[in-house]
Amino acid sequence: MPGRALVVVLGDLDRSPRMQRQAASLARAGWVVEMIGFGEWEQEGVAVRRIASFDRLRGRRLLTFVSMAAMRQAALVVALGWALLRTPRPSVILAAIPPALPTLPLLLIAARRWRARLILDWHNLTGAMLSLRPGGRLLAGVARRLETRLARHASAHLAVSQEMAGYLSANGLAPVTILPDRAPAAFRPAETLRPDAPTVIAPTGWSADEAVEMLPEVATLLDRRLAGRDAGVQISLLITGKGERRAAIEAQLSGLRLQRVAVHTAWLPNDQYRQRLRASVLGLSFHRSASGLDLPMKIAEMLGSGVPVCAFDFGAVLREQMRPGEEGCLFSTPAELAALLDDLLGTWPETPAIDRMAAALRNRPFVAWEEQWDDTAAPLFG
């Protein structure tokens, strides 16, 4: 019978869907699961131990960034260390990477003390994410080297993409198991009535590794294009999620004078998010990838729900997740996206290209997260 498993996420739990699903899968497999992270989240069979995020300890300029980062790291060491001291001994620890610091040093010590296996789930690279922050580039190289050296002492590794697995293997990390993101069974495509007006959904975390700053220009350019048509098409753009850049971009969007594009922002519970996803005719992904090795969970959820996707083209790794031209389209600039949306939706209710892509998604075998986890990750945990 499985024993105790500890899942560690040094991030917001309600914005960590992959690790939520990891914890839920372990519980479903019979493990006694405890989860450490920021914020609130509830799941049957998972005990959550919340720690403070110390998000206020962040600086925007170089000097303040370095000093505040040091203070935040010290605070997180104390908070995570205290949580580990109060945690019953697990037989396996699963940790989300990034961040590698201060997670990895503390978990390596804890794993040795408990004689537990440490498995790392690689979503991205710490150095790459750090380089997105003002002043972070000076520390990115050091973080990258420390991350790789420390990670070599872990028992096993999960990689979100083939490209990520290749990077880990090339840096001496082994064994590596590829576990791509998949939509859970609850996201399975469902037949829905065609709405009177098209809704385009853009799930986002409003983070630095997403090109959400494009949104005001995209909405403006699309509105102008639609206004030039005789059909009078109205498009609803729903942007879901929450994050640090939301307020600033919402302020820009609210100042636009749009006639044919209605922009809405919302943070939706999981059940409402799935409903709105299925009611949408098209999805948008602004993920641009700091490392070029990760893949966005939101694309997996949209495709799994049968919704074609227009995705920001951040590199070859994206082709592991979607087939451009068959299941969606790619864009690189606001003008390209506005033109795509006009071509796809400007003739509403006639949308032959979207209908063709949606049919391809419905005909594609649906492999749920649960099924993939049972086949791929479960043997790794034993």
Side-chain angles (χ1 to χ4, degrees):
M1 180 179 176
R4 301 188 68 91
L6 173 64
V7 180
V8 180
V9 185
L10 226 58
D12 291 333
L13 296 179
D14 61 356
R15 295 173 59 200
S16 304
R18 181 177 170 95
M19 299 311 290
Q20 291 176 9
R21 290 159 194 171
Q22 290 276 25
S25 296
L26 285 165
R28 181 171 53 84
W31 291 80
V32 177
V33 184
E34 185 158 1
M35 199 171 191
I36 295 177
F38 307 154
E40 304 295 336
W41 179 68
E42 293 183 1
Q43 170 67 41
E44 185 178 355
V46 179
V48 174
R49 189 178 297 275
R50 180 182 178 274
I51 61 174
S53 64
F54 304 101
D55 275 341
R56 293 183 179 180
L57 295 178
R58 294 187 186 276
R60 296 191 176 274
R61 297 184 178 180
L62 176 59
L63 186 58
T64 56
F65 175 85
V66 175
S67 59
M68 295 293 260
M71 292 172 61
R72 185 169 186 265
Q73 287 289 303
L76 286 173
V77 165
V78 174
L80 179 56
W82 177 241
L84 292 172
L85 286 173
R86 294 183 295 157
T87 300
R89 175 187 173 186
S91 55
V92 65
I93 306 169
L94 175 65
I97 304 293
L101 302 171
T103 311
L104 265 180
L106 288 174
L107 292 185
L108 285 169
I109 294 171
R112 175 168 293 189
R113 170 175 169 260
W114 286 324
R115 296 181 182 178
R117 288 180 298 137
L118 174 60
I119 300 174
L120 304 181
D121 191 359
W122 294 82
H123 313 171
N124 213 317
L125 303 178
T126 301
M129 295 301 295
L130 194 57
S131 66
L132 297 176
R133 296 196 169 275
R137 292 183 181 179
L138 292 176
L139 304 174
V142 175
R144 183 174 62 252
R145 289 190 292 272
L146 280 174
E147 179 178 60
T148 302
R149 290 180 183 179
L150 291 169
R152 288 173 185 159
H153 298 284
S155 305
H157 306 269
L158 290 167
V160 74
S161 69
Q162 297 175 28
E163 292 278 345
M164 177 67 79
Y167 171 86
L168 298 178
S169 298
N171 281 274
L173 279 62
V176 180
T177 300
I178 300 172
L179 183 66
D181 285 328
R182 298 279 187 183
F187 283 81
R188 190 182 299 271
E191 293 295 332
T192 57
L193 295 176
R194 196 172 183 84
D196 295 331
T199 295
V200 178
I201 191 168
T204 175
W206 299 97
S207 58
D209 64 340
E210 294 175 292
V212 287
E213 68 276 359
M214 288 187 178
L215 281 166
E217 187 176 353
V218 170
T220 300
L221 294 174
L222 177 60
D223 193 73
R224 290 174 185 169
R225 281 177 166 271
L226 294 175
R229 291 181 176 268
D230 295 331
V233 178
Q234 300 281 341
I235 292 179
S236 176
L237 175 57
L238 173 61
I239 311 163
T240 70
K242 61 181 178 180
E244 57 187 333
R245 304 176 69 192
R246 176 176 170 177
I249 295 175
E250 275 183 330
Q252 296 178 45
L253 290 169
S254 65
L256 302 178
R257 296 183 177 180
L258 305 175
Q259 298 177 337
R260 300 295 181 86
V261 179
V263 182
H264 309 278
T265 59
W267 166 253
L268 301 174
N270 286 336
D271 56 343
Q272 292 183 30
Y273 168 62
R274 289 193 296 268
Q275 292 172 9
R276 298 302 294 269
L277 202 55
R278 290 197 182 104
S280 301
V281 298
L282 190 67
L284 302 182
S285 170
F286 290 94
H287 185 80
R288 59 181 159 206
S289 181
S291 64
L293 302 174
D294 67 313
L295 291 168
M297 171 68 80
K298 297 303 181 185
I299 288 184
E301 293 171 348
M302 288 186 280
L303 295 179
S305 300
V307 179
V309 178
C310 287
F312 182 84
D313 188 1
F314 61 82
V317 67
L318 189 56
R319 277 72 174 176
E320 293 184 27
Q321 194 171 42
M322 63 178 287
R323 293 175 293 180
E326 297 180 46
E327 300 166 338
C329 307
L330 303 178
F331 66 90
S332 299
T333 66
E336 288 180 3
L337 178 55
L340 269 174
L341 295 175
D342 182 36
D343 291 342
L344 293 170
L345 295 168
T347 56
W348 181 269
E350 302 298 324
T351 55
I354 289 179
D355 295 344
R356 173 177 51 80
M357 292 186 288
L361 288 172
R362 286 194 298 271
N363 294 328
R364 186 176 71 167
F366 181 84
V367 180
W369 164 271
E370 293 88 347
E371 179 183 350
Q372 178 184 253
W373 192 92
D374 290 345
D375 292 341
T376 305
L380 186 65
F381 290 96

